[in-house]
Amino acid sequence: MASTGDDRRPKYQRIADSLREAIQSGEYGPGDRLPGENDLIAEHGVARMTARQALGVLKDEGLAESRKGAGVFVRSFRPLRRRGIQRLSQEQWGSGRSIWSADIETRTLTVDQVAVSEEAAPEHVDRVLDLGQGETVCVRRRRFVLDEKPVMFATSYLPTSVVAGSAITQKDTGPGGTYARLAELGYKPVHFREEIRSRMPTRDEAQQLGISAGTPVILICRTAFADEGRPVEINEMTLDAASYVLEYDFDA
Amino acid sequence: MASTGDDRRPKYQRIADSLREAIQSGEYGPGDRLPGENDLIAEHGVARMTARQALGVLKDEGLAESRKGAGVFVRSFRPLRRRGIQRLSQEQWGSGRSIWSADIETRTLTVDQVAVSEEAAPEHVDRVLDLGQGETVCVRRRRFVLDEKPVMFATSYLPTSVVAGSAITQKDTGPGGTYARLAELGYKPVHFREEIRSRMPTRDEAQQLGISAGTPVILICRTAFADEGRPVEINEMTLDAASYVLEYDFDA
DNA sequence: CCTCTCAACATCTCTAGACATCTTGCTTGA
DNA sequence: TCAAGCAAGATGTCTAGAGATGTTGAGAGG
């Protein structure tokens, strides 16, 4: 099937490769329109499904995205910077500022949806927060949007026995946020662990974050510890990988 | 086109959804064989391309992978844990152990390929390591394999003016590795910055890591600083996201 | 008992169409 | 001048095939 002699790549791969090179060489910049199905059919003399397969490769790689009825376009990558350590130093959350204020540069990151409820702890949460028999947790779910686009959602779990009656169980936790309130309750977080992994989004995640094909999510699970190693919060975050760069600074 | 009344999802999505539920409910466990193209054609009465499209959804999500001639199988997720902070504390690399020894649990992570060369610095490296006019860098490229499978490759850049003549320019850097040698040269790393992002792999990366479709890569760019904020090393790592969980521990 | 060969079966690539649905811009009418 | 409507063009979904290529296991032969 190879039309150019000993080239053993399938047709769709050769078409995808040539488009990829054109993108990486700068021939097509972010936001530019790429040759569509009909262009590739005419240019390479292939069937429509083959042209679609070639474009599918680029979409799966996160290099391009298609808009039905409009065309195929080069994607752009302009991430936020999330600092994992200084953000949580006491000067930050002790002074009335949200810990997220360090994340935003000139663009504004805002909370889109908040829901607070008291629930039974999921199994993996129960295992980490050593809860009493049948003890429930306070669950805080939030979604963050940047320039109209959702970029992250986060779910926090806190033991009811710790936070009952405080502003943590309200939608607005007040100045300094959850960690300032925990400090007032005598459970000042002194140590954090963040665990990070990445995978492709589930259907729900892709929908909630408005993620296009070929974009992974980053999962961060943060555990906050008070004195004597008492875990007081688990925060599971799901980030649009195309919107974030994480940064961790530390000394040897 | 929906055959079951008011279900507006396309056929391939409904097939994919039913398979996904079957996987997540445990009906198919890791490594199990899923119904293949022919099974889906017979079971749902669809064309081959439609059945392929359904299986493609699961492959893109990283839930399944196909082996040509054999079938489609449920993927497993059994990651390594990479600790980002304790690993680099002086007790670790000062005592003759490789900094990677903290990564392995019972399985063995080994270096597969090593290449050392002297090159002109890429633009983004030159910008960070404040190099002299025309100064070259020592480039160390390594690939790491776990149980025969490559899971990461790393490229380190160090200023030639710092490392010339030391064991860092050799394939074997000796006990304690690069950081112990830097300390001996008077450039002991005292501070680190790691920047993390995630995206789908390029063709080359997918080939080098043996990555199957639907698996992202994690990119870690670590900068090591000696006294007075002098950057002495940039290490760009590319990880198979299905093989790693990153962990960062730090105090408030 | 072991090894080699081969047929059955699996996915992969590709064709040539059809209809559906959404976007965009031009044309037409108020 | 502005807005509604419409048509062209774009991608999305789906069919019904065909040949290519890789895997696997059973059977034949040593």
Side-chain angles (χ1 to χ4, degrees):
Chain A
M1 282 295 170
S3 57
T4 57
D6 58 352
D7 193 339
R8 297 214 153 275
R9 286 175 300 174
K11 281 186 185 179
Y12 78 93
Q13 276 291 1
R14 275 185 283 128
I15 297 173
D17 289 350
S18 73
L19 284 175
R20 190 186 305 106
E21 280 169 31
I23 293 171
Q24 278 160 357
S25 77
E27 186 173 337
Y28 300 101
D32 285 0
R33 189 177 188 288
L34 288 172
E37 297 176 3
N38 297 327
D39 303 297
L40 297 179
I41 290 167
E43 188 180 345
H44 295 90
V46 295
R48 202 156 90 86
M49 290 303 288
T50 306
R52 278 182 67 72
Q53 205 173 358
L55 293 170
V57 170
L58 299 182
K59 289 191 280 186
D60 285 346
E61 290 176 350
L63 287 174
E65 76 190 322
S66 58
R67 294 207 306 272
K68 187 174 175 178
V72 184
F73 302 86
V74 179
R75 288 188 46 184
S76 58
F77 176 62
R78 210 165 75 89
L80 283 173
R81 177 169 296 263
R82 175 186 186 272
R83 295 194 168 78
I85 295 183
Q86 301 98 318
R87 275 178 51 246
L88 294 169
S89 68
Q90 191 168 358
E91 306 88 75
Q92 294 275 329
W93 53 264
S95 63
R97 282 192 292 162
S98 161
I99 59 171
W100 294 109
S101 58
D103 279 11
I104 54 179
E105 298 138 12
T106 58
R107 299 177 282 174
T108 41
L109 186 68
T110 57
V111 174
D112 184 37
Q113 305 170 351
V114 186
V116 186
S117 61
E118 187 178 334
E119 304 175 13
E123 202 271 326
H124 67 286
V125 170
D126 186 88
R127 212 170 40 228
V128 176
L129 302 175
D130 32 86
L131 299 173
Q133 185 71 18
E135 185 180 348
T136 58
V137 285
C138 171
V139 183
R140 300 182 51 84
R141 292 176 226 274
R142 289 146 294 166
R143 193 174 76 163
F144 297 81
V145 297
L146 174 76
D147 299 342
E148 311 283 307
K149 190 205 168 306
V151 292
M152 173 175 76
F153 53 86
T155 305
S156 286
Y157 301 90
L158 302 103
T160 300
S161 61
V162 169
V163 301
S166 76
I168 291 174
T169 62
Q170 307 300 312
K171 285 194 176 181
D172 183 359
T173 53
T178 300
Y179 292 157
R181 296 296 86 70
L182 278 174
E184 292 162 7
L185 291 166
Y187 294 95
K188 184 173 96 170
V190 295
H191 186 81
F192 299 94
R193 169 156 58 230
E194 296 198 345
E195 292 167 84
I196 301 167
R197 49 176 292 217
S198 173
R199 58 164 168 73
M200 295 312 282
T202 64
R203 239 176 112 66
D204 284 348
E205 289 165 346
Q207 197 166 11
Q208 279 204 66
L209 290 176
I211 276 180
S212 55
T215 305
V217 288
I218 297 174
L219 306 180
I220 305 178
C221 179
R222 180 172 66 215
T223 311
F225 298 90
D227 278 330
E228 297 168 11
R230 168 85 155 97
V232 290
E233 187 216 22
I234 293 177
N235 189 352
E236 294 184 322
M237 293 164 263
T238 305
L239 286 63
D240 174 4
S243 298
Y244 272 101
V245 168
L246 313 184
E247 179 180 322
Y248 291 90
D249 264 272
F250 51 94
D251 294 319
Chain B
M1 283 293 171
S3 56
T4 56
D6 58 353
D7 192 340
R8 298 216 151 274
R9 285 175 302 175
K11 281 186 185 178
Y12 78 92
Q13 276 290 3
R14 274 186 283 125
I15 297 173
D17 288 351
S18 73
L19 284 174
R20 190 186 305 105
E21 280 169 32
I23 292 172
Q24 278 159 357
S25 77
E27 186 174 338
Y28 300 100
D32 283 0
R33 189 177 188 286
L34 288 172
E37 297 177 4
N38 298 325
D39 302 298
L40 297 179
I41 290 169
E43 188 180 346
H44 295 88
V46 296
R48 166 166 243 95
M49 292 302 289
T50 306
R52 280 182 64 72
Q53 207 172 358
L55 293 170
V57 170
L58 299 182
K59 287 192 282 186
D60 285 346
E61 290 176 351
L63 287 174
E65 76 189 324
S66 57
R67 292 208 306 273
K68 187 172 174 179
V72 184
F73 302 86
V74 179
R75 286 188 45 184
S76 58
F77 177 63
R78 210 165 77 90
L80 281 173
R81 177 168 296 262
R82 175 187 185 272
R83 296 193 168 80
I85 295 183
Q86 301 99 317
R87 273 178 51 245
L88 295 168
S89 68
Q90 191 168 358
E91 307 87 76
Q92 293 277 328
W93 52 264
S95 62
R97 281 192 293 161
S98 162
I99 58 171
W100 293 109
S101 59
D103 279 10
I104 54 178
E105 299 139 11
T106 57
R107 298 176 282 172
T108 41
L109 185 70
T110 57
V111 175
D112 184 38
Q113 306 170 350
V114 187
V116 187
S117 62
E118 187 176 333
E119 302 175 16
E123 203 271 326
H124 68 284
V125 171
D126 186 87
R127 213 170 41 231
V128 176
L129 302 176
D130 32 87
L131 299 174
Q133 185 71 18
E135 185 181 346
T136 57
V137 285
C138 171
V139 183
R140 301 181 51 83
R141 290 178 226 275
R142 291 146 292 167
R143 192 173 78 163
F144 297 81
V145 296
L146 173 75
D147 299 341
E148 310 282 306
K149 189 202 169 308
V151 292
M152 172 176 75
F153 54 86
T155 305
S156 287
Y157 301 90
L158 302 104
T160 301
S161 61
V162 169
V163 301
S166 76
I168 291 175
T169 61
Q170 307 300 315
K171 286 195 175 181
D172 183 359
T173 54
T178 300
Y179 291 157
R181 297 296 86 71
L182 278 173
E184 291 163 6
L185 291 165
Y187 293 96
K188 186 173 95 170
V190 296
H191 186 80
F192 298 93
R193 169 153 62 228
E194 296 198 346
E195 290 167 85
I196 301 167
R197 49 177 291 220
S198 172
R199 58 164 169 72
M200 294 312 282
T202 65
R203 237 178 111 67
D204 283 348
E205 289 165 345
Q207 198 166 9
Q208 281 204 64
L209 290 177
I211 277 179
S212 54
T215 305
V217 288
I218 297 174
L219 306 179
I220 305 178
C221 179
R222 179 174 67 215
T223 312
F225 297 91
D227 278 330
E228 296 166 14
R230 168 84 156 97
V232 290
E233 186 216 21
I234 293 178
N235 189 351
E236 294 184 322
M237 294 164 262
T238 306
L239 286 64
D240 174 3
S243 298
Y244 272 101
V245 167
L246 313 184
E247 179 179 322
Y248 291 89
D249 264 273
F250 51 95
D251 293 321

